[in-house]
Amino acid sequence: MTAQLDSFYPTQVTFGTHDEIHRAAAAALDSDVFDFVEGGAGKEITLRANLAAFGHWRILPEPMSGVATPSTRTELLGMSLETPVVTAPFGGDALFHPDGHLAVARAAQHRGALSIVPEAGSFSYEEVHTMAPRAARIAQLHPFAHAAAVAERVRRAGFDALCVTVDCPVGGFRTRNMGNRFDPDQRLFAGNLTGENGAPGVAEVFGQLLKQGGSVWNWDQLTAAAADFGLPWIAKGILTPATAERALAAGASALVVSNHGGRQLDPAPASLDMLPGIRAAVGAELPILLDSGIRTGSDVYLALALGADAVIIGRSAIYGLAAAGEAGVDRVLELLTEELRTLMILSGAATIGDIDGTRITGAAS
Ligand SMILES: Cc1cc2nc3c(=O)[nH]c(=O)nc-3n(C[C@H](O)[C@H](O)[C@H](O)COP(=O)(O)O)c2cc1C
C-alpha cells in the first residue's frame, strides 16, 4: 500500500509554509511597497545580522522526556496569552491590505495573541480596539508633546498598556525607499494622526520625527509625561543594558529589546545578540519582549531561551496580511505557535517557563 504522506499535514489551509506566505506577499504588493516592508536602513547590515543571529544557537534534544502536550500559554503585564507571539505596531497598514490592523488584531484575537496598535496606522486606536478588544490591548505612540493626550485617549478606549517607541526620533536612512522615490499617501498613516481635535497630523509628527532637534524628547521629558500616563508602559527600542536601566528609571514596566527590524540605526547590533546582557542587567522578573528577525518557531524558542518572555513579529505579520488579510495573519500565528509546540516536545519543555538557557547551546563555529 502506498503511504499517504499528505495525510500527515493539514490540507485545509491557505498556505503551507512561511516561504509560501512570503512569496505570496511579494506577488501581492507593488515592488516599492514590498521594498518598504522588506528593507532596512543604511547598508542593511543590521537587517541581515538580525536574521543571522538566530543561526548562532542550537536547541538540545531531550529524547523520551514524556512531554506530549506542552502549553504555549503565558502571561504579560497581567494579560493571559495562548501564545508568546505578539503582533507589532506597523504604520501605513492599509498599504498592505485594505483591512490593515483590523485584520491583524482579529487574527491575533482568534489565536489568543496580543496585538500592538500603532499610532501611525491606517485605522484609529478605537476602531482596532473595538474590532478585537481581547487582542488589541496595547497602543503604541511616539514620545512627543501630544503623548499625554494619547495616553488619556487610549485609557478611555479601554487599552491596558502603552508601548512607547524610543528608537525613532528620526526615521532611519531607508536606502531602498530613497531609490524608489517612495512617496506613499499620507492618509494611510492618519488613523490617529488626523490633525483634528488637538491631534497632530501626519506631516506634523513626521516633520518632528524627521527634523533633528525639533521636538525630539529626552528621557527626562518622557519620565515627566509618563508619570501621568495612568497605564503601564513598555519601552520599545532598547538595545543596551544602560538604556534598559534608563527606561526603568523613567518608569517603564517592560522592555522591547529591538532595533526596529534594522530600519533605524545601521549598523546596530542584532537584537538577539544584545538580549542576554539586558536580561542579566534587569534581573529575572522584568517582562522583556524581543523583536527584529523573528521568522519561524525556532526563532521564538531561541529568543525565549535567551531571556525573552514573548516576541513581537513585524514583517512576518505583514507578509500574512499582504498574502491573505486576516486569514494570512492567522496562518502565520498558527505556524509559529505550532512549530514552537513541536520544538517544546522535542526538547522536553512542558511550559513556556521551561524554555531557558539550559536547553540551547552555541553553534560550533
Ligand atoms: C512597514 C513597517 C512599518 C513599521 N512601523 C512602525 C511604527 O509605526 N512604529 C513602531 O514602533 N515600529 C514600527 N515598525 C517596526 C516594528 O514594530 C518592529 O519593531 C519590527 O518590524 C520588528 O522586526 P521584524 O520586522 O524583523 O519582525 C515598522 C516595521 C515595518 C516593517
Side-chain angles (χ1 to χ4, degrees), residues 125-346:
Y125 294 125
E126 291 84 354
E127 284 171 305
V128 183
H129 181 78
T130 304
M131 181 60 70
R134 293 195 304 284
R137 298 173 70 175
I138 305 178
Q140 176 268 337
L141 74 153
H142 297 94
F144 295 109
H146 64 294
V150 174
E152 190 185 335
R153 178 177 161 191
V154 302
R155 216 170 48 227
R156 281 213 196 120
F159 283 84
D160 292 275
L162 289 164
C163 171
V164 181
T165 300
V166 298
D167 64 356
C168 196
V170 61
F173 214 72
R174 312 261 172 90
T175 326
R176 294 196 212 193
N177 295 351
M178 294 162 73
N180 288 331
R181 276 58 169 178
F182 186 57
D183 186 18
D185 184 343
Q186 293 204 350
R187 284 171 299 184
L188 300 178
F189 296 78
N192 297 297
L193 302 170
T194 57
E196 294 160 5
N197 301 325
V202 178
E204 202 180 327
V205 167
F206 280 83
Q208 289 172 348
L209 287 172
L210 297 173
K211 218 187 298 159
Q212 289 278 19
S215 50
V216 170
W217 271 9
N218 61 32
W219 283 111
D220 290 339
Q221 288 163 297
L222 177 55
T223 308
D228 295 327
F229 280 169
L231 286 174
W233 62 279
I234 306 171
K236 175 173 181 282
I238 301 298
L239 216 53
T240 65
T243 322
E245 277 161 14
R246 197 66 196 79
L248 296 184
S253 300
L255 306 175
V256 184
V257 174
S258 167
N259 54 37
H260 216 106
R263 299 166 76 82
Q264 287 296 102
L265 195 157
D266 184 86
S271 293
L272 191 75
D273 289 341
M274 302 309 282
L275 175 62
I278 294 172
R279 171 53 81 196
V282 302
E285 299 308 317
L286 188 88
I288 294 183
L289 297 97
L290 174 127
D291 80 16
S292 303
I294 299 286
R295 300 288 183 274
T296 67
S298 64
D299 300 339
V300 180
Y301 190 109
L302 290 172
L304 299 181
L306 288 166
D309 297 293
V311 301
I312 298 178
I313 52 166
R315 292 183 183 82
S316 292
I318 298 176
Y319 300 151
L321 179 64
E326 182 183 341
V329 182
D330 186 72
R331 180 64 178 146
V332 168
L333 289 168
E334 180 183 37
L335 277 171
L336 290 171
T337 306
E338 289 311 310
E339 188 180 1
L340 175 64
R341 205 188 303 278
T342 302
L343 294 170
M344 290 174 75
I345 296 171
L346 296 175

Side-chain angles (χ1 to χ4, degrees), residues 13-25:
V13 295
T14 328
F15 297 104
T17 66
H18 290 295
D19 279 349
E20 270 179 60
I21 295 170
H22 188 221
R23 283 197 298 275

Side-chain angles (χ1 to χ4, degrees), residues 42-74:
K43 289 161 75 176
E44 301 188 339
I45 291 172
T46 303
L47 181 71
R48 289 189 292 278
N50 282 338
L51 301 176
F54 292 94
H56 302 154
W57 296 96
R58 303 289 183 261
I59 303 170
L60 297 166
E62 191 179 322
M64 312 299 291
S65 71
V67 174
T69 53
S71 166
T72 59
R73 283 206 182 136
T74 190

